[in-house]
Amino acid sequence: MQTALHPRRPACTKCLRPLSACICQWVAPVEHVVEVLILQHPLEVANAKGSARLLQLSLPHSRMVTGEKFDGRVLLGAPHEPQAVHRPKYNILLYPDTPHDQALGIAVPQVLAPDALHDPTQLRLIVIDGTWRKSRKMLYLNPLLQHMPRLSLQGLPASSYLIRKAHKPDQLSTLEATCAALAQLEGDTEKFQPLLQAFDGFVAQQLAYRLG
């Protein structure tokens, strides 16, 4: 029997990364009330610089699914509770306003209803984890996402995500953008500071790997 020339490195069962690059020390659980569904592009799964796994491990009321095109039950279903006992959620897509995308056949999103924001426990924030190009393709392939009301973040500080190149100063990592959105929806900016501080540690770890 032949032995593999490059045996697979032992991986952490929690963060799924090689043990030598485990990020579990940076997991910072936050008691949030808005549910979070992370739609991860397949090319982000093995990306060591990606922040989505750290985000998902730190948000108890979240889940992450991988793909480009998703079934309606994934996009509209409840992450944890049986649908029979779960009140329908008001879904909001974390995505900037892009009126020019209508020329590509992307539908005009619904208007975000102010009354829907009164009860954060009935909200589900849907986040696309991928490059700008890949996220736009995922939006194009999923009409349900196109029609969802959008939450567009404005006036944000510069990103601390130094390990990936941003095309614009206000472009954030998936973790940073989700924390900003949750802080806005739940009306509590301090709640997510420990996770953002942990994220800085994660970034420093990745930079150390690069410099080493």
Side-chain angles (χ1 to χ4, degrees):
M1 183 177 70
Q2 289 185 328
T3 302
L5 294 178
H6 301 286
R8 188 170 183 176
R9 291 179 292 174
C12 174
T13 57
K14 185 175 182 180
C15 71
L16 306 180
R17 298 192 178 212
L19 291 176
S20 59
C22 176
I23 61 171
C24 290
Q25 64 176 312
W26 308 117
V27 174
V30 178
E31 272 306 317
H32 59 110
V33 296
V34 175
E35 288 183 0
V36 177
L37 174 61
I38 305 166
L39 305 178
Q40 185 177 56
H41 190 275
L43 293 181
E44 291 294 322
V45 175
N47 192 332
K49 296 178 289 186
S51 65
R53 177 63 63 183
L54 177 60
L55 174 68
Q56 189 267 322
L57 291 173
S58 299
L59 298 181
H61 307 299
S62 72
R63 68 167 175 163
M64 184 162 61
V65 293
T66 302
E68 285 189 299
K69 191 172 183 179
F70 303 94
D71 186 273
R73 290 171 295 180
V74 171
L75 299 179
L76 302 178
H80 299 289
E81 302 173 41
Q83 190 67 31
V85 297
H86 194 86
R87 292 173 58 192
K89 295 284 184 174
Y90 186 84
N91 294 291
I92 300 175
L93 178 65
L94 179 57
Y95 205 84
D97 292 324
T98 52
H100 53 282
D101 280 355
Q102 295 175 29
L104 302 176
I106 295 177
V108 178
Q110 298 177 18
V111 176
L112 183 60
D115 291 346
L117 304 181
H118 290 167
D119 185 0
T121 65
Q122 294 307 307
L123 299 178
R124 180 187 294 112
L125 181 69
I126 298 181
V127 180
I128 299 179
D129 178 51
T131 64
W132 173 246
R133 189 179 204 176
K134 296 300 183 184
S135 67
R136 188 161 60 175
K137 181 180 179 182
M138 291 165 70
L139 185 64
Y140 178 80
L141 291 175
N142 295 274
L144 274 176
L145 289 179
Q146 298 177 31
H147 290 282
M148 287 181 182
R150 296 186 189 180
L151 181 65
S152 181
L153 303 174
Q154 304 291 338
L156 297 174
S159 172
S160 298
Y161 201 27
L162 304 178
I163 52 179
R164 296 190 79 167
K165 182 179 180 180
H167 297 287
K168 296 180 180 180
D170 58 349
Q171 286 184 340
L172 305 178
S173 67
T174 297
L175 185 146
E176 291 173 306
T178 303
C179 285
L182 290 175
Q184 180 176 327
L185 294 174
E186 298 190 14
D188 189 341
T189 58
E190 296 301 319
K191 180 191 296 187
F192 301 94
Q193 288 306 308
L195 177 52
L196 292 171
Q197 292 171 4
F199 177 67
D200 289 340
F202 162 78
V203 171
Q205 176 183 334
Q206 301 305 311
L207 285 174
Y209 292 148
R210 180 187 296 180
L211 296 175

